[in-house]
């Protein structure tokens, strides 16, 4: 792919320098692992990486374009409990425009259909909303709902890892209105998971509008990111203009030595006062679970509103759970 919202494709890596399955042997037991890229299925040793990861977690989800459809199907046959999220940014024309590859929608969609026919359960769409594709997001939601598949959302972010610093949603009113409609539809579902996704999507509206992150970021404590060269970062959303620090490298020490090191503690202190207000599922989901009373209260109130035919109440707010008050305050901004 040659995505408009991510420039990883402009910076190809040398696979001889990237981590291998054996480099992950020191990982502890984890609740969940997401394998992402770039495009993970470029890696010919992906099955070995998945096999090693399953020794450390009961659940793995791979984010992919679905372009290498036969490789996806082959991996799912070997690991039928694997999770697959096909990144699709809109219907055929919009997706292929944003991902820079004609035929990308058809490849991704057909891969999902084949996986469903195989009986793979943990499958679905992943849509990154940028400028002018939010209407297609609603169409994709309806398609995924019809097919009985998962539907994950994101808004584009800037990051050293994405090689992007100019991702800005300029048509905020339109995008936020479409997210509000998505929230309304999710609250109308009979699935509690959909109701909490509605809360997550309210957080995306808050992020797009420039609001302070509703729940704290606990990256580096609740989750971590290992880059292709073995560096252990708290997340992949850092920007060097603010800060970027690694806890250590798994080629130089086993994971738990890194995780319990003074350097890791220093990185966690930086996270505690990180000025960014990212709202990505990798860092939002853990704190939604940890501070469940806040999303739960919102879900109960708005599910009732949905039942009686009222619009959702998007009372976006900063929940004080004892976090450092400096977190989410950009340089030069007054604390809110």
């Amino acid at each position: 792919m040659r995505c408009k919202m991510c420039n990883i494709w402009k910076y190809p890596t040398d696979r001889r320098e990237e981590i291998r399955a054996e480099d992950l042997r020191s990982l502890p037991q984890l609740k969940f692992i997401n394998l992402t890229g770039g495009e993970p299925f470029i890696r010919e040793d992906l099955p070995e990486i998945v096999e090693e990861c399953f020794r450390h977690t009961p659940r793995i989800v791979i984010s992919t374009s679905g372009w290498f459809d036969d490789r996806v199907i082959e991996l799912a046959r070997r690991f039928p409990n694997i999770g697959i999220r096909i990144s699709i940014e809109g219907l055929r024309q919009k997706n292929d425009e944003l991902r820079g590859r004609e035929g990308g929608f058809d490849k991704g969609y057909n891969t999902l259909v084949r996986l469903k026919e195989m009986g793979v359960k943990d499958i679905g769409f992943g849509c990154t909303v940028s400028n002018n594709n939010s209407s297609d997001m609603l169409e994709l939601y309806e398609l995924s709902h019809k097919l009985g598949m998962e539907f994950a959302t994101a808004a584009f972010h800037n990051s050293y890892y994405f090689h992007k610093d100019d991702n800005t949603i300029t048509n905020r009113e339109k995008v936020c209105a479409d997210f509000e409609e998505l929230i309304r539809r999710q609250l109308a579902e009979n699935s509690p998971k959909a109701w909490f996704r509605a809360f997550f999507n309210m957080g995306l509206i808050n992020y797009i509008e420039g609001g302070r992150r509703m729940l704290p970021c606990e990256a580096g404590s609740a989750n971590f990111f290992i880059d292709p060269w073995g560096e252990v970062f708290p997340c992949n959303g850092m920007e060097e203009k603010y800060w970027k620090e690694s806890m250590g490298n798994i080629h130089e020490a086993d994971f738990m030595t890194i995780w319990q090191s003074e350097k890791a503690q220093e990185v966690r202190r930086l996270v505690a006062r990180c000025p960014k207000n990212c709202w990505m599922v990798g860092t939002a989901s853990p704190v939604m679970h940890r501070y469940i009373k806040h999303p739960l209260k919102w879900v109960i109130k708005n599910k009732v509103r949905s039942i009686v035919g009222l619009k959702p109440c998007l009372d976006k707010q900063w929940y004080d759970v004892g976090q450092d008050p400096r977190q989410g305050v950009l340089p030069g901004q007054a604390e809110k």
Side-chain angles (χ1 to χ4, degrees):
M1 301 295 114
R2 295 170 174 79
C3 303
K4 300 286 181 67
M5 60 284 187
C6 171
N7 284 336
I8 288 178
W9 60 275
K10 292 184 178 181
Y11 298 85
T13 56
D14 185 340
R15 65 182 178 182
R16 294 170 297 182
E17 299 173 352
E18 291 191 3
I19 54 175
R20 301 177 181 180
E22 55 263 34
D23 297 318
L24 304 175
R25 288 174 183 165
S26 71
L27 286 179
Q29 288 302 302
L30 303 165
K31 291 183 179 178
F32 167 72
I33 292 176
N34 173 233
L35 298 174
T36 185
E39 173 52 61
F41 283 90
I42 287 176
R43 289 287 297 259
E44 295 177 357
D45 62 345
L46 186 60
E48 288 71 35
I49 292 173
V50 170
E51 184 174 34
E52 179 61 39
C53 286
F54 266 129
R55 296 189 177 105
H56 304 276
T57 184
R59 183 168 183 246
I60 298 171
V61 172
I62 303 180
S63 303
T64 173
S65 68
W67 186 267
F68 296 103
D69 48 352
D70 290 338
R71 295 186 188 181
V72 177
I73 299 303
E74 182 180 350
L75 188 76
R77 286 200 179 101
R78 181 170 172 180
F79 304 99
N81 57 334
I82 195 78
I84 301 290
R85 293 294 177 276
I86 303 291
S87 299
I88 297 180
E89 316 310 341
L91 300 180
R92 183 176 289 105
Q93 180 178 349
K94 181 60 66 176
N95 176 80
D96 293 359
E97 171 194 334
L98 290 175
R99 291 205 151 250
R101 193 81 183 263
E102 187 176 350
F105 176 88
D106 291 337
K107 278 268 194 177
Y109 175 77
N110 290 333
T111 301
L112 278 175
V113 171
R114 289 174 67 187
L115 289 168
K116 184 175 177 63
E117 290 172 348
M118 287 171 57
V120 181
K121 304 296 184 185
D122 193 359
I123 56 174
F125 296 81
C127 179
T128 298
V129 176
S130 52
N131 292 323
N132 306 313
N133 74 331
S134 56
S135 295
D136 278 38
M137 169 188 70
L138 294 174
E139 297 291 340
L140 284 178
Y141 164 77
E142 292 299 335
L143 180 59
S144 68
H145 194 53
K146 178 181 178 181
L147 294 171
M149 297 181 183
E150 301 287 334
F151 185 71
T153 50
F156 65 8
H157 287 68
N158 293 313
S159 157
Y160 87 94
Y161 186 68
F162 308 145
H163 301 279
K164 283 293 258 179
D165 60 7
D166 61 350
N167 278 336
T168 303
I169 291 178
T170 54
N171 55 337
R172 293 183 181 181
E173 187 173 334
K174 165 63 174 169
V175 172
C176 291
D178 286 334
F179 266 115
E180 184 171 351
E181 173 60 20
L182 176 62
I183 289 169
R184 186 194 67 78
R185 297 183 191 185
Q186 288 175 321
L187 287 168
E189 290 189 41
N190 294 322
S191 166
K193 181 185 284 190
W195 309 338
F196 283 94
R197 281 181 176 157
F199 177 90
F200 172 79
N201 285 322
M202 183 177 69
L204 285 178
I205 294 176
N206 179 62
Y207 161 74
I208 292 166
E209 292 178 341
R212 195 170 179 182
R213 182 182 166 114
M214 299 190 303
L215 289 167
C217 179
E218 296 183 352
S221 299
N223 57 276
F224 60 88
F225 171 71
I226 300 180
D227 82 359
W229 301 277
E231 296 291 337
V232 181
F233 289 108
C235 70
N236 66 349
M238 292 175 291
E239 294 182 72
E240 291 186 84
K241 66 180 178 180
Y242 299 123
W243 70 282
K244 177 192 171 191
E245 291 286 342
S246 167
M247 295 179 171
N249 192 295
I250 58 174
H251 291 131
E252 299 168 2
D254 66 71
F255 179 84
M256 290 309 298
T257 298
I258 294 170
W259 191 248
Q260 296 168 350
S261 67
E262 177 53 39
K263 180 64 174 179
Q265 289 299 101
E266 177 188 334
V267 169
R268 292 180 186 114
R269 287 191 287 269
L270 290 169
V271 171
R273 57 181 187 270
C274 179
K276 294 190 69 177
N277 281 297
C278 311
W279 190 254
M280 303 185 201
V281 69
T283 55
S285 178
V287 291
M288 284 175 60
H289 283 86
R290 180 171 181 181
Y291 306 106
I292 187 65
K293 70 177 184 179
H294 300 295
L296 180 61
K297 182 178 178 181
W298 183 90
V299 162
I300 292 171
K301 177 176 70 174
N302 282 282
K303 182 58 183 177
V304 171
R305 291 177 65 88
S306 175
I307 291 171
V308 299
L310 297 176
K311 292 176 62 177
C313 180
L314 302 185
D315 46 349
K316 306 177 289 292
Q317 59 182 288
W318 179 76
Y319 295 104
D320 185 354
V321 296
Q323 65 268 52
D324 190 316
R326 292 172 292 181
Q327 190 180 76
V329 181
L330 289 169
Q333 280 186 338
E335 293 182 13
K336 297 180 183 178

